[in-house]
Amino acid sequence: MDSLIAASARALAAGDAIGALKRVALRDDPPALALRGIAMAQLGEHPRARELLRRAARGFGAHEELARARCVVAEAEVALAMRDIGGSPRPLAAAAATLEAHADRANALQARLIAMRRLLLLGRLDEAAAALAPLDTRDLPPALTAVAELAAAEIALRSLRTGPAQAALARAHEAADRARVPALQAEVAEARAALDRPAARRLLADGEQALRLDEVAALLGSGALVVDACRHGLRAGDAWRPLARRPVLFALARALAEAWPRDIDRDALIARAFRTRHPDETHRARLRVEIGRLRALVAELAAIEATPQGFVLRPHDAREVVVLAPPIDGELGSVVALLADGAPWSTSALALALGASQRTVQRALVDLEGAGRVRSIGRARARRWLSPPLAGFTTLLLLPAALPIE
């Protein structure tokens, strides 16, 4: 390795992309191309970074598989930053195996962390936690330690385990300070700030109360019957009834919970669940069917009794009924939550992360664009969607699969 390449690599490790480019900007040999690609990625020029990294990988000879594997890992991280999460994870896994075979432990761990962060974006918390558990971050560069601890903190936060999240964020803060990389320090600071921001709203008879993540966790552990409009389900103690795929039943449950301890009129229930202002006998018959389904689903948690006017919710064991609402109103909360990270997302990536069809996501984005909440850049296949960062609260509970890991 010549002196310019070594100096450029040291500058990149310190987060000085401009300093790295000054040393290799005019060179086209594979090592210089790889460093230029990483520098462009740090500057946010991700398409150009990907092109340079691919050129570098092609330029390395057949006997330089270690260098090619490092290029694959760098390109995978660029793809993650571009929210290009639809590709196969096998090339990255193969690169990690090659790096481990050549005793390049730091870059092998980097590859494993990239794969795990992709799982987080897709909302696969159980898989992400399983991928993170065996990783050993001892004796590694502090920047990698900080990234690993940030990932552990995100898994804990999205699982509402605030104690482990705070501990992981403290370790990430210490590692980021040792790394002295400004972007990494800013990311840790942003993650720590999420603990102090409102994450949900508790609806009360005379208004609402903003709740932080630790307060949400305490509420869910209190034994109350919680109708969770952030994750669309019902919780009482350790019992969880998901209703994300049964929107009519959830609308009925929320309406009954908001009226508790009083009953709610049948016409009001029909308007909430079926979205019609002019009910007829067919709607009333359907209401009886849906109430029967909901009654069977929540039988272990509460009873639903008929009254002369409508229906009333009767929780077992004299439980309190609480409605937990998201920090932002509307049915497009998960889309807004994904876009709130400030990164440009493609429609296909959003659909993959949300587990929805691209057509559904496109309709949601058109509605949000009409309301001025998102904007698009580029055209056709290069089109990406952006949203301004949402200040004042955190959208962690609106992210896909943000459910407790038991």
Side-chain angles (χ1 to χ4, degrees):
M1 181 182 297
D2 62 54
S3 60
L4 286 178
I5 293 293
S8 179
R10 285 194 298 270
L12 285 176
D16 182 10
I18 299 297
L21 282 175
K22 286 180 179 178
R23 294 169 172 85
V24 296
L26 300 179
R27 292 178 52 169
D28 286 328
D29 52 300
L33 288 173
L35 292 172
R36 286 169 58 192
I38 296 170
M40 296 304 290
Q42 289 187 5
L43 293 172
E45 297 291 336
H46 297 123
R48 178 60 174 160
R50 172 180 277 183
E51 177 189 348
L52 289 168
L53 288 167
R54 287 178 175 175
R55 285 176 57 193
R58 290 193 299 266
F60 286 114
H63 62 287
E64 297 176 295
E65 61 177 6
L66 178 60
R68 289 202 310 274
R70 290 170 177 169
C71 289
V72 170
V73 172
E75 185 183 343
E77 188 162 20
V78 171
L80 192 71
M82 295 174 68
R83 298 301 185 257
D84 184 1
I85 54 179
S88 172
R90 284 179 290 184
L92 183 59
T98 299
L99 292 165
E100 288 172 348
H102 286 79
D104 188 350
R105 183 165 167 261
N107 281 310
L109 177 61
Q110 175 81 336
R112 303 295 184 195
L113 287 174
I114 292 169
M116 186 272 302
R117 288 160 59 198
R118 177 180 177 273
L119 293 172
L120 277 177
L121 283 179
L122 292 173
R124 300 175 185 172
L125 298 190
D126 290 323
E127 295 178 47
L132 181 63
L135 299 184
D136 184 5
T137 60
R138 292 174 298 180
D139 303 323
L140 284 178
L144 280 181
T145 302
V147 172
E149 295 297 350
L150 272 173
E154 183 174 352
I155 292 172
L157 284 173
R158 289 173 65 178
S159 306
L160 287 182
R161 295 182 287 113
T162 54
Q166 288 174 333
L169 286 172
R171 294 191 296 268
H173 178 72
E174 180 185 358
D177 281 348
R178 286 189 285 117
R180 298 181 181 179
V181 178
L184 190 56
Q185 291 173 317
E187 188 175 353
V188 173
E190 176 64 21
R192 298 184 83 180
L195 289 170
D196 298 322
R197 294 180 186 148
R201 296 174 294 136
R202 178 178 179 175
L203 302 187
L204 305 171
D206 56 350
E208 60 184 43
Q209 175 190 5
L211 301 177
R212 299 188 309 271
L213 283 169
D214 59 337
E215 293 171 329
V216 172
L219 180 62
L220 293 176
S222 67
L225 176 59
V226 179
V227 178
D228 188 347
C230 298
R231 294 167 294 181
H232 293 84
L234 281 70
R235 178 176 287 279
D238 294 330
W240 168 253
R241 299 291 183 272
L243 293 174
R245 298 187 181 276
R246 306 183 77 172
V248 171
L249 295 190
F250 181 76
L252 291 172
R254 179 170 177 175
L256 289 165
E258 289 179 359
W260 182 86
R262 300 180 302 276
D263 63 354
I264 182 170
D265 183 79
R266 287 175 173 81
D267 287 348
L269 279 174
I270 290 171
R272 288 283 295 272
F274 308 142
R275 303 183 183 183
T276 179
R277 298 181 181 179
H278 306 288
D280 55 27
E281 287 306 315
T282 62
H283 293 108
R284 295 185 179 92
R286 185 184 175 192
L287 177 64
R288 290 193 294 271
V289 171
E290 299 296 349
I291 285 289
R293 290 171 176 165
L294 181 61
R295 184 183 285 130
L297 189 69
V298 303
E300 296 181 5
L301 309 180
I304 300 176
E305 300 175 359
T307 68
Q309 291 77 30
F311 295 92
V312 64
L313 186 65
R314 305 285 190 198
H316 299 328
D317 304 323
R319 285 189 171 105
E320 182 185 10
V321 177
V322 176
V323 179
L324 195 65
I328 52 177
D329 290 314
E331 299 178 354
L332 307 175
S334 293
V335 177
V336 174
L338 285 173
L339 292 174
D341 63 3
W345 286 74
S346 66
T347 305
S348 58
L350 286 169
L352 187 61
L354 293 169
S357 69
Q358 288 196 45
R359 185 58 184 157
T360 298
V361 172
Q362 286 168 350
R363 287 196 295 267
L365 290 169
V366 168
D367 292 341
L368 289 169
E369 187 177 32
R373 299 172 68 181
V374 302
R375 64 184 178 89
S376 63
I377 55 175
R379 293 181 178 275
R381 294 176 65 88
R383 194 177 198 187
R384 296 292 184 269
W385 294 89
L386 294 161
S387 174
L390 300 172
F393 58 86
T394 177
T395 57
L396 278 169
L397 295 184
L398 298 177
L399 293 171
L403 294 170
I405 298 177
E406 303 296 344

